[in-house]
Amino acid sequence: MDDLRDRYLGLIAEAGDEAGIEDLRVRALGKKGEISGLMKTLGGMSPEERQEKGPKLNALKTEIADALAARKASLADAALEKRLQTEWLDVTLPTRPARQGSIHPISQVTEEIVAIFADMGFSVAEGPQVESDWYNFDALNIPGHHPARAEMDTFYTHRAPGDNRPPHVLRTHTSPVQIRSMEANGAPIRIICPGRVYRADYDQTHTPMFHQIEGLAIGTDITMAHLKWVLEESLSAFFGTKVKTRFRASHFPFTEPSAEVDIQCSWQDGTVKVGEGDDWLEVLGSGMVHPKVLKNAGIDPEKYQGFAFGMGIDRLAMLKYGIPDLRAFFESDLRWLRHYGFAALDVPTLRAETV
């Protein structure tokens, strides 16, 4: 038994890898191993022999198992030490640059505009994007024959045969929010309504889904002069320069009188510069809220009057940041976002200094 012990301890000490250790374990302690075979002979021994040899065989089995485990751990330690000698990490090196997220131009411009109008006392109002025909058209004094109500311009929700409920649409503007807000809060009121709107159009300057912000101010003595001041102050704060406006007579079913609003600009090398030059660029529509709209919203037009305006957030972002194609807002490639510097939110206010 001593010879067997010495032989296996020698073989274990000479084993050079884990495969060799496993081979020795099987030869010594496996089902058909030498030591396992000796353990099986205990059953055929007399009680006296079993009492004498049993403890010795158990001690041999334990010693060989411990030697195998110790040698296996020693080999693992040696392999790790070898790796540590050949593989190393310089912890003094600077970290790899990590890309930072960017605020989307639409989100940034929306926050900028909201902050500007908040300084003027306007609160933000929101409403559903799927609207009834009443809120999207009828309450806004848009007649049934108006082109905006055609399916080629408006997305109508599907109706099953026999479903005679009034039609619903993806809202074509955020004006329904004005109606809902006047119904809920009455007058006086001063709100802006940012949000997604939908129209069946798609080209370089139009997309089926875009973003709009509308404003509404209702009181007892509000005039077009207030509208002009609000628009010039807000546009000057947004573009960071003094902006002159020009009102051109127009027609919208929901305002009377109505005006298209142009801003002073110049064109240099195909790029528009706002606040200078002899050219004009149309940016929004506006006017005094039509008495029928006030009445439809539950407000007495004999007592209250006010103005409303609407502009495209996407278009304002294009003008301010020089983005040439509206469709770029919906691309998944973020490189153009970084190209235009959208890495942090810088919100202008009315208190920002203009030149």
Side-chain angles (χ1 to χ4, degrees):
M1 194 177 297
D2 290 338
D3 292 341
L4 183 64
R5 170 183 172 278
D6 293 340
R7 176 160 58 85
Y8 273 107
L9 290 178
L11 291 173
I12 292 171
E14 294 174 358
D17 52 39
E18 290 192 15
I21 292 295
E22 179 62 18
D23 179 64
L24 288 173
R25 186 195 68 77
V26 173
R27 287 166 56 187
L29 304 177
K31 289 185 178 181
K32 297 181 180 180
E34 289 187 67
I35 296 176
S36 299
L38 292 176
M39 295 292 290
K40 292 177 182 179
T41 63
L42 291 174
M45 295 181 183
S46 64
E48 292 78 10
E49 290 179 312
R50 194 162 47 247
Q51 187 176 6
E52 176 186 356
K53 294 185 177 180
K56 294 181 179 179
L57 284 173
N58 283 326
L60 174 62
K61 179 181 178 182
T62 300
E63 185 176 5
I64 296 301
D66 290 345
L68 287 167
R71 182 57 179 167
K72 184 176 181 179
S74 176
L75 290 173
D77 290 343
L80 177 60
E81 183 64 27
K82 184 177 180 181
R83 286 187 59 192
L84 291 174
Q85 295 298 323
T86 57
E87 300 178 14
W88 58 279
L89 177 66
D90 186 353
V91 294
T92 65
L93 288 175
T95 59
R96 294 184 177 91
R99 287 185 172 180
Q100 295 182 343
S102 297
I103 294 174
H104 195 278
I106 299 302
S107 300
Q108 176 158 326
V109 169
T110 301
E111 291 295 331
E112 292 176 5
I113 297 173
V114 167
I116 290 169
F117 280 97
D119 284 348
M120 295 182 176
F122 286 77
S123 59
V124 175
E126 296 180 328
Q129 296 181 38
V130 178
E131 271 292 5
S132 68
D133 209 39
W134 164 258
Y135 282 108
N136 198 75
F137 296 121
D138 295 326
L140 293 163
N141 198 39
I142 299 176
H145 62 270
H146 196 280
R149 302 181 78 144
E151 290 189 2
M152 66 179 63
D153 292 319
T154 300
F155 294 106
Y156 283 84
T157 58
H158 175 70
R159 285 283 187 266
D163 187 344
N164 297 319
R165 289 179 298 166
H168 280 70
V169 301
L170 296 182
R171 65 183 183 188
T172 58
H173 41 197
T174 57
S175 302
V177 181
Q178 298 183 31
I179 301 296
R180 291 178 177 275
S181 298
M182 287 189 285
E183 286 180 339
N185 303 306
I189 190 172
R190 196 182 304 180
I191 58 171
I192 54 171
C193 314
R196 295 185 183 91
V197 296
Y198 307 84
R199 295 179 190 174
D201 206 352
Y202 188 66
D203 57 34
Q204 187 172 358
T205 57
H206 300 84
T207 58
M209 186 277 288
F210 58 102
H211 302 79
Q212 197 176 59
I213 190 164
E214 297 189 10
L216 173 71
I218 303 295
T220 56
D221 56 358
I222 293 178
T223 67
M224 289 284 282
H226 296 111
L227 170 62
K228 184 175 177 66
W229 180 86
V230 165
L231 292 178
E232 287 195 348
E233 290 296 311
S234 60
L235 290 169
S236 295
F238 177 73
F239 286 107
T241 186
K242 185 63 178 176
V243 175
K244 294 181 180 180
T245 62
R246 181 180 69 177
F247 280 36
R248 287 182 293 106
S250 186
H251 169 73
F252 303 114
F254 31 80
T255 53
E256 181 61 37
S258 303
E260 300 276 3
V261 180
D262 303 332
I263 57 175
Q264 180 188 22
C265 68
S266 66
W267 293 89
Q268 298 179 12
D269 300 324
T271 301
V272 62
K273 292 186 178 295
V274 175
E276 61 180 55
D278 299 323
D279 293 323
W280 296 90
L281 180 68
E282 183 270 321
V283 291
L284 61 94
S286 65
M288 299 297 290
V289 180
H290 199 289
K292 289 185 178 179
V293 174
L294 292 175
K295 187 175 181 179
N296 289 337
I299 293 178
D300 183 1
E302 297 295 328
K303 181 178 180 180
Y304 292 101
Q305 63 185 38
F307 63 75
F309 60 86
M311 47 191 160
I313 298 174
D314 313 61
R315 188 149 184 259
L316 289 176
M318 294 172 68
L319 286 173
K320 182 172 182 177
Y321 296 105
I323 301 171
D325 193 329
L326 182 61
R327 291 169 293 189
F329 289 139
F330 304 98
E331 296 293 332
S332 59
D333 192 342
L334 296 180
R335 289 175 293 183
W336 71 271
L337 273 173
R338 299 188 184 98
H339 172 75
Y340 290 106
F342 290 94
L345 183 60
D346 183 16
V347 180
T349 68
L350 286 177
R351 292 179 286 276
E353 184 175 332
T354 58
V355 294

